[in-house]
Amino acid sequence: MKVGAVIITMGNRPDELRALLDSVAKQDGDRVEVVVVGNGSPVPDVPEGVRTIELPENLGIPGGRNVGIEAFGPSGRDVDILLFLDDDGLLANHDTAELCRRAFEADPQLGIISFRIADPDTGVTQRRHVPRLNAKDPMRSSRVTTFLGGANAVRTQVFAEVGGLPDEFFYAHEETDLAWRALDAGWMIDYRSDMVLFHPTTAPSRHAVYHRMVARNRVWLARRNLPAPLVPVYLGVWLLLTLVRRPSRPALKAWFGGFREGWTTACGPRRPMKWRTVWRLTRLGRPPVI
């Protein structure tokens, strides 16, 4: 199976980007073709053979990755698998691409693989980087219902069937939107602890827009994908969870502003998942109300 890789960058991590590209070049098996997308910024110097695209404006994470997908032909059809990697990450092992090939070849239903993210110094995997409710054992691989945006592999046939990432989200929850559409189309998602991306431990709230976009996109996610009776349940649960976590007053103000924005702005096409998909998500351990 042919493997490509999409990396988006703001141009502010040239050393980390070069290290990541070197780790991709060292992958076992056939060469992984790489496209680096400068998301509203110039692309730093890259090794020969790495394709680059420089966008005149920042399209956000999903928008930038969608440009990278199309660089491999419509819906990425020039390759069978696309890796999506954060520009400050690093593939820990040389066999990750080969493990992806084997996994997709062995399981025709497998559409997406979520890698394990580990801190390069401590080896610790943060709880939030294990895409399931039971996250206490990051070394356990399993079927899951979503995936990690900057450390994953997608069978390009998934994009051909359900479309790409939601451009309008810009940042936050775009992976779950794609995951739910893929699951609704019959694909499965695996979390693989043996496929590792080293990435420095960070907090998502470091982004200034975090609280507003998390809330806005959570509403959009529900409006786009859930059967009507589940929309208020899902959003009510997340409202309660947010209050229980007791964010700061400015963070809570931003969150409620985003929540309101999610109801008053266009979210894109609504395609509610089938009730059998709701049951599938429930059997996989994460019913779409949390």
Side-chain angles (χ1 to χ4, degrees), residues 244-280:
V244 166
R245 290 168 178 167
R246 302 179 68 179
S248 66
R249 186 181 295 273
L252 194 60
K253 181 179 179 181
W255 193 93
F256 274 109
F259 193 81
R260 182 172 56 253
E261 185 181 347
W263 286 108
T264 58
T265 54
C267 64
R270 173 168 165 76
R271 299 187 182 94
M273 66 177 65
K274 307 173 189 72
W275 282 103
R276 69 168 176 260
T277 304
V278 173
W279 176 235
R280 173 187 280 189

Side-chain angles (χ1 to χ4, degrees), residues 67-148:
V67 170
I69 294 168
E70 295 302 309
F72 289 93
S75 300
R77 69 183 181 191
D78 294 345
V79 293
D80 303 295
I81 304 164
L82 277 176
L83 311 180
F84 295 88
L85 308 169
D86 276 351
D87 68 342
D88 56 345
L90 182 75
L91 289 175
N93 304 309
H94 294 179
D95 63 352
T96 302
E98 189 61 27
L99 288 173
C100 287
R101 292 186 185 97
R102 294 176 192 170
F104 285 118
E105 287 171 348
D107 186 352
Q109 279 191 301
L110 182 61
I112 303 171
I113 298 173
S114 188
F115 301 166
R116 180 167 65 89
I117 294 179
D119 185 272
D121 297 321
T122 66
V124 171
T125 296
Q126 291 180 274
R127 240 185 120 81
R128 68 185 183 90
H129 285 152
V130 182
R132 59 178 178 244
L133 290 179
N134 185 5
K136 62 183 178 181
D137 182 9
M139 301 307 294
R140 179 173 67 88
S141 299
S142 68
R143 294 283 201 202
V144 289
T145 61
T146 188
F147 63 99
L148 307 173

Side-chain angles (χ1 to χ4, degrees), residues 35-89:
V35 170
V36 178
V37 179
N39 213 355
S41 66
V43 176
D45 289 339
V46 297
E48 186 177 353
V50 174
R51 288 191 288 161
T52 62
I53 300 171
E54 295 185 353
L55 303 177
E57 62 178 313
N58 183 354
L59 300 182
I61 293 173
R65 287 185 177 143
N66 283 338
V67 170
I69 294 168
E70 295 302 309
F72 289 93
S75 300
R77 69 183 181 191
D78 294 345
V79 293
D80 303 295
I81 304 164
L82 277 176
L83 311 180
F84 295 88
L85 308 169
D86 276 351
D87 68 342
D88 56 345

Side-chain angles (χ1 to χ4, degrees), residues 159-182:
F159 297 127
E161 288 190 16
V162 307
L165 295 155
D167 286 341
E168 53 269 62
F169 278 39
F170 197 85
Y171 165 78
H173 302 320
E174 65 272 6
E175 303 91 359
T176 301
D177 186 88
L178 175 61
W180 283 1
R181 286 183 282 127

Side-chain angles (χ1 to χ4, degrees), residues 211-244:
H211 295 286
R212 179 176 70 85
M213 289 197 173
V214 160
R216 183 197 68 181
N217 292 359
R218 183 79 68 184
V219 178
W220 282 358
L221 180 68
R223 289 175 58 198
R224 286 164 59 98
N225 295 287
L226 290 181
L230 294 185
V231 173
V233 180
Y234 176 80
L235 295 176
V237 167
W238 278 103
L239 172 60
L240 290 175
L241 284 174
T242 300
L243 295 175
V244 166

